[in-house]
Amino acid sequence: MSEIELLKINDFKNKEPENSFYANTITNHLLLHHSRIEKPHKHNFYAVFLFTKGTGIHEIDFNKYEVKPGSVFFLYPGQTHSWELSDDIDGYIFFHTEDFYEMTYVNNSIKDFPFFESNYSDKCIYLSKDKCQLIKDLFKTLLMESAKEEWKKKQLILSYLTQIYIYLNRFLETQSAVNFSDLRHYQSVFSKFEKLVDEHFTKIKSATEYADLLNITQKHLNRIVKSITQKTTTEIITDRIVLEAKRQLLYTNKTLNEIAFDLGFTDYTYFSRLFKKQVAITASDFRKMYKNER
């Protein structure tokens, strides 16, 4: 395995002709696609999971979350995830591409919703019983509509998606550590910064260079980043490098030297020191420890 497996939305059984939307119960999804999703993987689409029964652990980019009734998870393209679920697990899921949402809502963006906006927003929310029922009813209605072939089906699906996103964002704001007022105020710049880091972190590792690409001062960029994440610009860049290193260490068979080179380090020793400083163990030990847990 030289790369982390990337699942595309058309890998799943889908009635939509453009293969841009998919909905199912979690039970049916696991039965139909167990062989595809049993190993850690990433997607090229947005995904939301609501668990209504069962327990387990859901791991998203090396953060482990408890699965229990009322838990909702958000995934955006490129994130790596895996899970261990009890046999009685159930709930609802839907996937969609960015274009599916944004080609209809020309003035809106899927990234307007903070759980898809940033690496540093919450990727899990635990709903109270009454809130879970509200969201469950919307998921159920969305699933039923997706199985139909009726007039303006896509528009109705999109309206249900938007309702789910709006309600979940309202619930999320009441329990999140992220400062959403600042996130909205600085949203455009911070979003551009994260996108630039995702695109260039293997080549550009300087906070000053990212500020230059954004046509702002490093001081102002740092102020924006700090207000949203409580981290410095340099720490965000380092986090992205270490995240990719972890992905490559666990989900590929590349050597440590190959991984360091892929991440833009000509000196393996420097990469090794950076990784150990951030993770508290060596890259080699991290690989051994994590694989022994699986």
Side-chain angles (χ1 to χ4, degrees):
M1 180 173 62
S2 59
E3 294 293 340
I4 305 164
E5 184 177 10
L6 174 68
L7 297 184
K8 300 176 182 178
I9 201 163
N10 56 7
D11 289 330
F12 300 93
K13 208 169 187 178
N14 201 310
K15 290 186 177 180
E16 289 295 315
E18 69 272 34
N19 285 328
S20 56
F21 177 78
Y22 169 89
N24 211 334
T25 64
I26 288 175
T27 299
N28 287 339
H29 180 69
L30 292 173
L31 285 172
L32 288 170
H33 306 293
H34 178 73
S35 61
R36 284 197 180 102
I37 62 179
E38 61 183 356
K39 296 178 181 177
H41 58 274
K42 56 186 178 180
H43 305 149
N44 74 339
F45 48 83
Y46 293 87
V48 180
F49 307 79
L50 167 66
F51 289 92
T52 58
K53 279 182 63 181
T55 57
I57 297 294
H58 191 182
E59 184 170 316
I60 304 172
D61 281 340
F62 308 98
N63 294 308
K64 293 184 178 181
Y65 302 92
E66 181 187 4
V67 174
K68 59 184 179 180
S71 52
V72 180
F73 296 91
F74 312 95
L75 287 172
Y76 55 75
Q79 288 190 293
T80 303
H81 81 120
S82 61
W83 50 30
E84 294 179 12
L85 304 172
S86 60
D87 291 339
D88 62 339
I89 205 74
D90 203 1
Y92 298 89
I93 62 170
F94 64 76
F95 306 153
H96 65 80
T97 62
E98 186 170 349
D99 283 351
F100 181 78
Y101 194 85
E102 297 192 356
M103 290 298 285
T104 300
Y105 294 129
V106 179
N107 295 321
N108 295 330
S109 169
I110 189 64
K111 296 184 183 68
D112 288 340
F113 301 102
F115 36 77
F116 291 139
E117 164 66 23
S118 168
N119 290 331
Y120 295 90
S121 60
D122 296 288
K123 296 296 172 282
C124 173
I125 180 173
Y126 297 106
L127 302 177
S128 62
K129 191 173 182 180
D130 59 326
K131 290 174 180 175
C132 183
Q133 187 61 52
L134 186 155
I135 298 301
K136 179 182 175 181
D137 289 344
L138 285 169
F139 265 88
K140 201 171 179 178
T141 307
L142 173 65
L143 179 58
M144 288 190 293
E145 183 61 32
S146 71
K148 298 176 182 177
E149 293 298 335
E150 295 193 11
W151 183 66
K152 290 192 178 292
K153 168 185 173 179
K154 181 177 178 180
Q155 284 85 342
L156 199 50
I157 285 173
L158 284 163
S159 81
Y160 292 137
L161 285 180
T162 302
Q163 288 179 64
I164 289 170
Y165 285 151
I166 289 172
Y167 279 119
L168 288 176
N169 187 61
R170 288 178 179 178
F171 301 155
L172 187 61
E173 288 195 14
T174 65
Q175 58 182 256
S176 176
V178 173
N179 187 326
F180 283 92
S181 296
D182 284 340
L183 183 60
R184 291 194 186 98
H185 181 64
Y186 290 136
Q187 179 172 300
S188 178
V189 177
F190 185 70
S191 177
K192 288 175 184 175
F193 167 62
E194 279 199 300
K195 187 175 181 181
L196 285 170
V197 172
D198 271 342
E199 291 175 357
H200 303 295
F201 70 92
T202 61
K203 296 182 177 68
I204 301 176
K205 297 176 172 59
S206 160
T208 302
E209 289 185 68
Y210 284 105
D212 289 343
L213 287 171
L214 291 164
N215 293 314
I216 59 177
T217 65
Q218 183 183 342
K219 185 177 180 180
H220 185 47
L221 176 59
N222 210 52
R223 185 185 304 117
I224 292 170
V225 171
K226 193 88 172 177
S227 70
I228 295 170
T229 68
Q230 303 305 309
K231 294 190 175 190
T232 67
T233 305
T234 299
E235 286 172 333
I236 300 298
I237 300 164
T238 302
D239 282 351
R240 185 63 185 87
I241 294 167
V242 171
L243 172 59
E244 193 63 29
K246 287 178 175 179
R247 289 173 173 172
Q248 297 294 331
L249 283 164
L250 297 191
Y251 306 135
T252 77
N253 294 323
K254 292 179 181 178
T255 67
L256 301 184
N257 278 317
E258 286 173 333
I259 293 170
F261 183 77
D262 285 350
L263 296 177
F265 295 93
T266 54
D267 182 354
Y268 171 74
T269 306
Y270 181 75
F271 164 74
S272 181
R273 284 201 302 266
L274 176 71
F275 188 92
K276 186 173 182 181
K277 181 180 178 182
Q278 297 300 314
V279 186
I281 57 174
T282 67
S284 177
D285 285 344
F286 176 82
R287 175 178 262 175
K288 289 175 187 173
M289 179 188 74
Y290 224 93
K291 288 194 172 181
N292 286 339
E293 289 181 359
R294 294 183 177 276

